[in-house]
Structure formats: structure tokens, C-alpha cells
Amino acid sequence: MSVDVPQGYRVGGWEVREPLACGAFATVYAGRRAGDTPGLPRQVALKFLPTGTRTPRQLHHLRELAEREVELLSRLRTPRLIRLYETLTVEDPGRPELDGATVLVLERAEGSLDNLPLGNVRVLAQICEGLHQLHHAGWVHGDLKPANVLLMKDGSVRLADFSTAAELEGTYAYAPAFTTPDYTPPELLWPEVSERGTRTRPSADIWAFGVLAHVLLTGTYPLPGATPQARTDAALRHAQGTEELRLSPELPAGWPEIVRDCLAPAHTERVSTEALLRRVEHLAGTTRSPRLPRLRPRRLRRTALVTALALALLGAGTATYAALREQEPTTSTAPPTCEKPAPHTDTKNRTGYTAGWNTTWDFTVRRGDGGSQVRELQCLLRHLHDIPEVGTVDGDFGPMTDDAVVTFQKRAGLDANGVVDARTWTALRKAD
């Protein structure tokens, strides 16, 4: 779905120059700043997505892809992700092929990993650092491959193309059913696709990194086959235990073990992102990247920040009054914790108790699930509704949590089936 834009065309404050790349859903052009806009670079990349002139079904799909990329790049500013400067919409009825297109104004790169000589292990360390930053923030890339890793002028790299990225909801996310076969893990080659998309996990990016590392270091794929389809079939046989990896003898020392750990047949057996980063940094001889801070749920972080600013302003203007009332009881403004859930109002004006791990009201979880929703559930059962039989708050929905949910559902007059759906969440968030 390429977008043909004539050289010299103006969009916003930018002039379109030569084409840089063309993919399945977008076309990227060089862009030059047409005026003097403080804080913006002279040269950028303009990514055109045809979100205005397709069939209704195509438009829905393309707009969803554009929204995913804009949301991720607007919320995350980390050193290893390509930077988004602004988002524009083309308004040009005289050019129906362009009218309504979404344009992302992005940091300009010099090329991609497709242009990089073999054997650059330092680049692999930077890619791994970018994945760690992405996963730590709660996102899955979903389409990691050489073309989506960009080379900057200073020799560093940036992860790019987040149109298929997905935000985690506990231990997994829902992504569009679009992949690059050679970099897709076996569990996603023939997945079940729901209305929300394909269920994916950070371990899918780990598989893709293992393939990418093998390709970058040796110029060959780690699975046999002369075509993508043949290698896809080999990946499925590998997952079934009937096909071995074909690792190149040209892999440097230490890398065969890393590639094998990335390409474990089951997603649960693959190495974690942080552990992978430390191993890659050690082999590459690069400086150890700093440990990332622990994140709290996004909505709660925003609420806490607004509350802190309001309190700071209030305190600055009423110091004398506060001193006079020093001995009077005050209401705690501490953020909610597992041990002390507190009322919280979400963006839909729903008010209920939260333990600070997750603010969902309708995400269904059941026995066998895991993640922040389950940890939130366990905290509310144990500390708001006084059901200690839930056991340890560990984020795993096991038999003890299942029994505790059934106990709560009977107490609340709900169907006692152990499934935590919207009705159960609503009851959970109300204090007894």
C-alpha cells in the first residue's frame, strides 16, 4: 500500500524530498523543514500511511496500525526507540490519493540493519537494550527484523516501525495478525485470532532477536530451508521436537548458547529480556546499561503526579494555615498498595478500590492466567475482602486463588465459577 508523494510537496511545516523506504503499510520519504521551528531538526523522515483513501475495511485496519505507532512513540521516550516529533493529517481534496493520509514526522536515520556488514556485536547489544526498554514499559514490538532496526549517523541504532506493537495486559498483549515469517515464533505461525487480534508475549520478540542475531553474525538463518515457507515449516517441526536448529559454525564464542536460549521451542523456556541483555552486553564488551526503575500502572502514575503537584501548590500558599492545624487529623494521600487498597477514579469516572497493580474493570482472568491483573485480584481478595485463603500474592492464578474467587463470588451472590469477569471485578472494587 505505497503512498506516492511528489517531491516538493508540503505537509505541515515540512517539504517532501526523495523516497527512503516502502513497506507493506507505509512509504517513508526524506523531509526538510520548510520554516524556522524551534526545537525541531532540519532533516527528518516523513512516514505516510494511507489512512484516507481505501475501502472501509482497509481504512479501519490502517488507522489501527497508525494509532498503535503514534500511541507508543508519544508515550515512550527512550534512547533506543526512534523519536516521534509530531503527527500530521493531509488535508488535500484536490489529491484524493493523499487526502486523509496520516504522516508521522520521525527522527532521520542513515539506513537499516540491511545495510550493515556482518559481525557487529555492539549493535546487537543496543538492539537488546531497546527491547529491554520496550518490554519494561509494557509493550511488545511484534515485528523485529533487520529492516525495522535503523542506523543513526553516530553509529548507534534505534528500534522502529511500531505499527504492530501491542501493550501488555498482564503477561500477554493483542497484536494484529501480521508477521514476517522468518522472524515469527512457532506459536504465532498458526495462532487463534480473536476480534482483538493475536495473543502475543515479549518472548515473541526474544525469538525474533535470536534469528536476527544469527543473521547479523553469519549471514544465514538458524533453521534449514531455502525459502521463508521452508524455514517456517522447519520452525513448526522445531516446536514439535522433530527438527534441530542448524546453527552456523561461524557464530562467535558464547553466541550459540544465546541463540539456542532465544529459540527455545516453548515460549516459557526462552530467556528473559533482562537476562539476555546482560549476557549480550558481556559478550559485546559494552558498558552495562543502567537498571530501569520499577514502573507503577500508567493511570495511577498520572493520578499520583497530578495529586503531588496539587498538594505542592496548595502547601506553598497555605503554610501558615497548615501550621495552625498541625495537630488536627489529616486524610492520607499515599498511593494505594496491596496491603492498603484505596479508592481510585479512572478515565471513565468509575470509582472503586485498587491495590495499585492494575485498574481494569472488565479484563477476564481465570485459573492458569498470570500478571498484574491477577496480582491486583489477589491483593483485593486478601486485604480488602479479608480472604487470606488466597495465599501468596504472586500474580499466578493457581488453585488457591481459584478457591478464594469462588468464596468471594458466593459471598457476593455471583455465579461461583472462579472466572473473574466484569461483574466480579465490579464487586471486588467495592468495600464490604
Side-chain angles (χ1 to χ4, degrees):
M1 297 182 184
S2 63
V3 184
D4 294 324
V5 186
Q7 187 165 327
Y9 187 79
R10 293 280 295 272
V11 54
W14 306 95
E15 180 182 308
V16 176
R17 306 305 295 170
E18 72 277 7
L20 298 177
C22 183
F25 303 114
T27 305
V28 182
Y29 291 86
R32 184 171 64 187
R33 195 176 66 210
D36 293 327
T37 306
L40 292 177
R42 181 72 176 167
Q43 305 290 335
V44 296
L46 302 174
K47 183 174 183 177
F48 283 78
L49 295 102
T51 50
T53 55
R54 301 287 168 176
T55 65
R57 184 173 183 178
Q58 288 175 326
L59 285 178
H60 176 77
H61 181 59
L62 287 167
R63 285 170 181 163
E64 180 187 358
L65 297 179
E67 288 167 3
R68 284 174 181 270
E69 186 156 14
V70 170
E71 182 180 7
L72 185 149
L73 290 175
S74 298
R75 285 169 48 186
L76 301 186
R77 290 290 180 89
T78 64
R80 298 301 177 202
L81 306 187
I82 202 73
R83 185 176 179 184
L84 173 70
Y85 295 113
E86 61 177 327
T87 307
L88 305 168
T89 301
V90 176
E91 297 182 5
D92 192 349
R95 291 180 179 270
E97 73 281 5
L98 284 177
D99 191 38
T102 298
V103 184
L104 309 186
V105 183
L106 300 164
E107 188 176 12
R108 175 75 179 271
E110 296 295 307
S112 71
L113 280 196
D114 288 331
N115 313 118
L116 190 70
L118 299 180
N120 194 324
V121 294
R122 291 180 177 271
V123 163
L124 287 170
Q126 294 180 33
I127 296 169
C128 202
E129 184 182 0
L131 279 184
H132 182 42
Q133 293 168 353
L134 195 64
H135 293 172
H136 180 77
W139 287 79
V140 178
H141 187 288
D143 194 24
L144 181 67
K145 58 184 179 182
N148 291 340
V149 181
L150 302 183
L151 298 171
M152 310 309 291
K153 193 171 184 178
D154 62 359
S156 62
V157 301
R158 304 281 191 278
L159 302 189
D161 198 346
F162 299 99
S163 55
T164 59
E167 188 172 15
L168 290 169
E169 300 176 6
T171 57
Y172 51 82
Y174 289 95
F178 173 81
T179 59
T180 303
D182 273 323
Y183 296 87
T184 302
E187 68 270 14
L188 295 183
L189 289 172
W190 298 100
E192 293 185 6
V193 181
S194 69
E195 292 182 356
R196 301 184 63 191
T198 301
R199 183 181 289 192
T200 187
R201 300 174 177 83
S203 55
D205 288 341
I206 299 298
W207 174 281
F209 178 85
V211 177
L212 186 150
H214 196 279
V215 170
L216 186 62
L217 293 173
T218 70
T220 62
Y221 290 95
L223 286 159
T227 65
Q229 183 60 57
R231 291 188 289 269
T232 295
D233 293 341
L236 291 172
R237 293 194 299 272
H238 174 59
Q240 297 163 358
T242 59
E243 182 74 66
E244 295 292 331
L245 297 174
R246 303 282 181 89
L247 302 188
S248 170
E250 297 179 12
L251 280 173
W255 280 98
E257 292 78 13
I258 286 182
V259 172
R260 285 195 187 94
D261 288 345
C262 291
L263 302 184
H267 73 87
T268 54
E269 298 172 353
R270 291 174 204 147
V271 60
S272 71
T273 316
E274 184 172 8
L276 176 63
L277 173 61
R278 300 311 174 201
R279 290 170 63 181
V280 171
E281 286 177 332
H282 175 72
L283 288 180
T286 58
T287 303
R288 183 184 175 99
S289 56
R291 183 179 296 275
L292 298 176
R294 180 175 179 270
L295 297 178
R296 288 163 54 197
R298 177 169 62 93
R299 289 175 181 169
L300 294 179
R301 289 202 303 273
R302 185 181 302 161
T303 303
L305 177 61
V306 172
T307 303
L309 288 173
L311 289 172
L313 291 172
L314 181 64
T318 59
T320 303
Y321 179 76
L324 292 173
R325 297 178 59 90
E326 192 173 29
Q327 302 303 319
E328 293 188 14
T330 58
T331 300
S332 172
T333 58
T337 65
C338 183
E339 293 75 18
K340 294 183 178 181
H344 169 69
T345 301
D346 67 8
T347 56
K348 296 182 179 179
N349 291 320
R350 296 176 297 193
T351 300
Y353 279 81
T354 179
W357 282 101
N358 197 285
T359 56
T360 184
W361 284 74
D362 53 15
F363 188 84
T364 301
V365 291
R366 51 174 56 83
R367 186 167 177 172
D369 287 338
S372 61
Q373 293 93 346
V374 176
R375 198 178 291 267
E376 173 83 4
L377 164 68
Q378 292 169 330
C379 289
L380 294 177
L381 288 170
R382 186 178 185 89
H383 298 291
L384 185 63
H385 297 285
D386 194 26
I387 305 179
E389 294 79 12
V390 69
T392 304
V393 177
D394 55 8
D396 290 327
F397 201 132
M400 295 182 70
T401 300
D402 186 73
D403 290 343
V405 169
V406 170
T407 297
F408 172 78
Q409 289 173 327
K410 290 178 179 178
R411 183 191 297 177
L414 302 170
D415 291 338
N417 55 13
V419 177
V420 183
D421 53 13
R423 291 186 64 198
T424 303
W425 277 117
T426 299
L428 279 165
R429 295 202 181 281
K430 295 179 181 179
D432 291 335

